Amino acid sequence: MEVRDPLPGYQGKIRELLEKQGARIGSRIRIVKKPEVYIEGLLMPKHSFSSPSTIVVKLDNGYNIGVAVDSNTRVEIIEEKVRVRAPEKPIVKQTRKELPRIKIISTGGTIASKVEYETGAVRPALTPEELIELIPELADIAVISADVLFSILSENMTPNHWETIARRVSEAIISENVDGVVIAHGTDTMSYTAAALAFALQRLPVPIILVGAQRSSDRPSTDSALNLIGASIAASRLPIGEVMVCMHATPDDSTLLVHRGVKVRKIHSSRRDAFQSINDRPLALIDPLAKKYKILNPRYIPRTSSAEELIVKAKFDDKVALVKAYPGFQREIIDFLVDRGFHGIVIEGTGLGHIATHTLSSIARAIENGVAVVMTTQTLFGRVNMNVYTTGRELLKVGVIPGEDMLPEVAYVKLSWVLAQTRVPTEVRKMILTNYVNEINPIHTAELYPKWSW
Ligand code: GLU
């Protein structure tokens, strides 16, 4: 029989404190922090993402708050277990058949979790009914079908997961004939998956939108509802046949930006507007109230006219490494990868595409052994140019492939995709330098570089 944890998410000292009082999820508790803090409410389960030193309490006004616990904190039980009622089942029925049809595929992360009121478990909340219960606005945007594919944190994604997601998306396009696809994903590695899908699924007849949340849906400051609304508008209405990322444009809840999946990065660990396009303009702006979009980048790939044109190449080689160049880099790192049978290495080089001169012999050896080596830059903005300094020229001479203005992670995903199709060095070079889905931007204008205003 399944034994339910009475205190999911609580560990260590805090767990002991709660256990000592006989508290379990749903107990009405009072937290006393001398001298002046008294908080009363229902003990709530915790996400694995929340801070280990807090107790989460649902206040009578419905808000959940996290209370930091220190050595002066006391917990008292007021009532052992109050039955917490789940919200009534929604009466909203999706009858608006004239609306576009979208598929929401959940892979995990903050956006896809909700606390189950009855059991206290944290689980994906992605049946269409639950989604509409949580975000009623969705029912006016599209007719939704939803699947839970995985429930993982995105740091645990692998190239195998990319393949599975790509296959599920292609099924939704080909067999279910949807007008757009939304993929709920952890934000940490969302841009890797976006790049993987962009290479795996080309000539798209519908938009594919990845979406995540920086704050979970049980927090008042959550961004998950607005992001899902924005992603659903984007997936059901944009004329763009690309893999994209839709997230907050600003820290408030007014607008969302849609970024090209191969030109975007999470550049802040916690802000709601953490995602920014790099070396390219964002593709579109979404106004969630008006349910409208505005195209910001005319250089987009339009939707193809039929699902028959879709190209699916969803294989990735997992023997590829992404290594960062830094002062003190030891060339044994390259030797190790070669000796372990890796097929490709992407270097996140310094500046215009450099790595210390003493690594040159190891890089030459890697290439002689058939390992493809691609150079990118850790400056993120700008393009590698390996003809300017001797270091760059020598790297080119031994056969390093310059990665243009591709983000290091995009070059990593692309090399993994290329190597799953060919290991012939001349072919690999040709494919890395081919611009498949605008992962290379040939023209950088000054406005692409963000600036402070002062
Ligand atoms: N680190 C986790 C992830 O990327 C949770 C945070 C999030 O969803 O953004 O999946």
Side-chain angles (χ1 to χ4, degrees), residues 44-95:
M44 295 304 289
K46 287 209 306 186
H47 280 256
S48 43
F49 330 124
S50 48
S51 153
S53 55
T54 56
I55 293 181
V56 180
V57 175
K58 183 174 278 301
L59 303 177
D60 292 336
N61 63 12
Y63 279 128
N64 287 355
I65 59 162
V67 186
V69 172
D70 57 28
S71 53
N72 287 324
T73 311
R74 221 175 55 233
V75 175
E76 297 164 2
I77 293 245
I78 305 172
E79 204 179 331
E80 260 199 6
K81 173 141 173 137
V82 180
R83 200 175 148 72
V84 187
R85 278 173 57 82
E88 294 294 323
K89 278 270 163 273
I91 357 155
V92 202
K93 282 257 173 353
Q94 288 196 304
T95 48

Side-chain angles (χ1 to χ4, degrees), residues 49 108-111 152-155 185-189 212-214 266:
F49 330 124
T110 302
I111 190 160
I152 61 173
L153 299 172
S154 72
E155 53 270 36
H185 196 288
T187 56
D188 288 2
T189 71
Q214 293 279 76
K266 178 176 178 175

